[in-house]
């Protein structure tokens, strides 16, 4: 989730506890820090795309690691103000960290909430990573909590309730969209192995549907607006597991990328010295028509391009996200 939404959750948490549970003049900036601090693992991007994919939304986003972060914040707060009840500060900090984890879980990126026990990535995708309606509503309740001081806690609690109610409503809608579409395919006699509904730009009005059919993915956008409906399909070939195994044996980054990805598709192009293989994670493919034109016709980030020689050996690999990064270069 975007940092503004995380900070908004911290503001609401601080406003909810400042008059009773934890009366402290610095409670608002403290809660904003606690609500943002798990994303300090973005610093791993300075070490390159491999560590970023592996460690972002890692230990600081887990239940155990988040508790450790909250305790450290409580100790720091106690050092500055010895009159504070340490357990109350720790409880508020952990609540803000848990809100951060929840907001990340409801996007499709994946979060390692069970570290250090497993690196499995959990995701319950029902809100797009940037949702203006969701975030602006949170900010509005936060503003009201400052403007109407006698009802400060009321507006803060309502805002925190919205933080949970909106994603849960979207999740229910997503399940209904998936069930309806699966029944539609079945009624038309169309074979499929799975139907996956993902939030897209401007969800819950638009949803992305990924249909698994054998060795292909078919992707479309469904609008719930009156007079709209389903757009045409884009068809993608599933990534070849044998090819991925071979590439992962030659490059650690490819192994990390394979672990990170969820709906991994590939396309091949012949080159002068072999072939170019382009891998895309369809989670990040934007299908909302109004946004496609602004994003290069919906081109996904987290794209991996690999160059192979005539014998299928990896020569070069380039990762595309906010620019190009060479992640593998064969020795001459």
């Amino acid at each position: 989730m975007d940092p503004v939404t995380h900070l908004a959750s911290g503001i609401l948490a601080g406003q909810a506890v400042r008059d009773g549970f934890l009366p402290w003049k610095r409670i608002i900036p403290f809660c904003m820090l606690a609500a943002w601090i798990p994303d300090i693992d973005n610093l791993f991007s300075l070490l390159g795309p491999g560590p970023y994919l592996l460690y972002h939304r890692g230990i600081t986003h887990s239940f155990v690691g988040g508790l450790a972060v909250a305790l450290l914040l409580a100790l720091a707060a106690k050092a500055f103000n010895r009159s504070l009840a340490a357990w109350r500060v720790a409880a508020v900090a952990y609540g803000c960290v848990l809100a951060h984890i929840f907001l990340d879980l409801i996007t499709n990126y994946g979060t390692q909430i069970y570290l250090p026990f497993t690196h499995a990535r959990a995701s319950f995708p029902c809100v797009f990573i940037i949702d203006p309606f969701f975030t602006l509503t949170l900010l509005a309740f936060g503003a009201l909590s400052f403007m109407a001081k006698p009802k400060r806690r009321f507006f803060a609690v309502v805002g925190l309730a919205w933080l949970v109610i909106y994603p849960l409503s979207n999740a229910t809608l997503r399940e209904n969209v998936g069930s309806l579409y699966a029944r539609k395919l079945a009624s038309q006699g169309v074979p499929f192995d799975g139907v996956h509904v993902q939030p897209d730009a401007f969800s819950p009005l638009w949803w992305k549907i990924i249909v698994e059919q054998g060795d292909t993915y078919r992707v479309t956008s469904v609008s719930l607006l009156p007079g709209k409906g389903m757009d045409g399909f884009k068809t993608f070939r599933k990534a070849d597991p044998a090819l991925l195994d071979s590439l992962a044996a030659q490059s650690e980054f490819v192994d990390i990328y394979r672990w990170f990805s969820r709906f991994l598709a590939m396309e091949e192009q012949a080159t002068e010295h072999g072939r170019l293989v382009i891998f895309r994670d369809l989670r990040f493919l934007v299908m909302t028509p109004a946004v496609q034109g602004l994003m290069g016709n919906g081109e996904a980030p987290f794209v991996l391009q690999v160059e192979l020689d005539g014998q299928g050996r990896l020569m070069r690999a380039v990762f595309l996200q906010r620019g190009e990064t060479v992640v593998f270069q064969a020795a001459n």
Side-chain angles (χ1 to χ4, degrees):
M1 190 62 68
D2 66 276
V4 175
T5 306
H6 288 307
L7 293 174
S9 72
I11 292 171
L12 292 168
Q15 290 288 75
V17 303
R18 68 183 298 181
D19 290 329
F21 187 78
L22 190 59
W24 179 29
K25 64 180 181 180
R26 293 186 175 87
I27 187 61
I28 301 300
F30 176 80
C31 286
M32 292 175 69
L33 175 62
W36 170 84
I37 198 66
D39 275 343
I40 196 170
D41 61 11
N42 274 303
L43 291 174
F44 282 109
S45 64
L46 300 176
L47 302 178
Y52 177 77
L53 293 184
L54 194 58
Y55 299 119
H56 176 51
R57 295 207 188 179
I59 191 65
T60 59
H61 287 72
S62 71
F63 296 129
V64 174
L67 177 60
V69 169
L71 292 175
L72 289 174
L73 288 174
L75 288 174
K78 185 70 174 177
F80 282 100
N81 189 337
R82 295 187 178 278
S83 66
L84 294 173
W87 75 270
R88 289 178 182 255
V89 179
V92 170
Y94 193 42
C96 291
V97 170
L98 289 177
H100 184 115
I101 294 172
F102 173 76
L103 288 171
D104 282 351
L105 271 176
I106 61 178
T107 68
N108 61 9
Y109 188 90
T111 307
Q112 301 174 69
I113 59 176
Y114 303 116
L115 281 174
F117 308 109
T118 174
H119 286 277
R121 305 178 69 88
S123 177
F124 305 97
C126 55
V127 178
F128 194 61
I129 196 165
I130 298 177
D131 188 323
F133 180 62
F134 181 44
T135 302
L136 290 174
T137 303
L138 291 174
L139 291 173
F141 281 119
L144 287 171
S145 72
F146 283 101
M147 296 167 59
K149 188 174 180 179
K151 294 187 175 181
R152 176 162 56 198
R153 180 181 293 177
F154 169 78
F155 285 117
V157 170
V158 172
L160 291 173
W162 173 254
L163 186 146
V164 176
I165 292 171
Y166 180 78
L168 292 181
S169 300
N170 276 13
T172 301
L173 186 58
R174 184 198 67 182
E175 291 302 316
N176 289 335
V177 169
S179 296
L180 288 171
Y181 193 74
R183 288 199 296 268
K184 179 180 178 180
L185 290 177
S187 67
Q188 295 174 346
V190 177
F192 62 92
D193 301 316
V195 174
H196 310 275
V197 181
Q198 299 275 301
D200 207 350
F202 301 119
S203 63
L205 299 178
W206 270 274
W207 296 91
K208 177 172 60 186
I209 295 182
I210 302 174
V211 180
E212 291 189 66
Q213 293 180 317
D215 61 355
T216 64
Y217 292 115
R218 299 184 68 199
V219 186
T220 188
S221 176
V222 172
S223 173
L224 303 185
L225 290 173
K228 298 292 184 179
M230 186 176 67
D231 293 319
F233 278 102
K234 288 186 176 182
T235 301
F236 298 87
R237 175 187 169 191
K238 285 185 179 180
D240 181 356
L243 176 59
L244 285 171
D245 287 341
S246 173
L247 295 175
Q250 300 174 68
S251 167
E252 181 183 11
F253 180 81
V254 175
D255 196 29
I256 294 172
Y257 180 77
R258 175 175 58 173
W259 162 81
F260 168 80
S261 301
R262 174 66 179 88
F263 302 105
L264 193 56
M266 63 177 280
E267 66 175 276
E268 296 182 270
Q269 301 173 9
T271 64
E272 181 180 356
H273 303 290
R275 55 180 170 148
L276 172 69
V277 184
I278 303 172
F279 295 100
R280 293 184 176 87
D281 189 339
L282 300 181
R283 286 179 299 173
F284 306 109
L285 183 73
V286 175
M287 294 294 292
T288 303
V291 180
Q292 280 191 332
L294 300 176
M295 298 184 64
N297 198 31
E299 179 63 273
F302 302 101
V303 171
L304 178 63
Q305 298 181 349
V306 299
E307 299 175 18
L308 308 178
D309 66 12
Q311 287 72 46
R313 291 176 300 213
L314 179 61
M315 302 303 296
R316 189 169 186 264
V318 177
F319 183 61
L320 282 70
Q321 187 210 4
R322 303 171 187 168
E324 297 185 4
T325 303
V326 177
V327 292
F328 180 87
Q329 181 70 58
N332 293 329

